[in-house]
Amino acid sequence: MHDSKPSQSPEIDVDEQGNGEVAEQRLYPLVSQPKTVMDRQFEIEFLGSGVEAFAFTFG
């Protein structure tokens, strides 16, 4: 999701409602800002156990 709208970026691992599924150990891109980069806030909620999360920023 981007500004409460579905992301148009094909490399983002979420669906039109902003939901995703962890299926294997790898990097899951969740947010992309293709135009003007601004401070934003988002929330990740894990419904199951066993997931570890790490934040990386590039740019």
Side-chain angles (χ1 to χ4, degrees):
M1 306 272 300
H2 184 265
D3 291 333
S4 299
K5 299 177 191 127
S7 174
Q8 301 299 312
S9 183
E11 68 270 5
I12 302 301
D13 285 319
V14 296
D15 64 16
E16 295 80 24
Q17 289 78 39
N19 300 310
E21 182 176 342
V22 175
E24 60 186 314
Q25 186 175 345
R26 67 176 181 87
L27 177 67
Y28 286 85
L30 303 176
V31 176
S32 177
Q33 295 187 73
K35 296 184 180 179
T36 303
V37 176
M38 302 168 50
D39 287 339
R40 300 188 189 275
Q41 181 176 340
F42 70 99
E43 181 177 305
I44 301 173
E45 180 181 356
F46 296 104
L47 304 178
S49 62
V51 175
E52 294 180 320
F54 301 92
F56 297 94
T57 60
F58 303 95

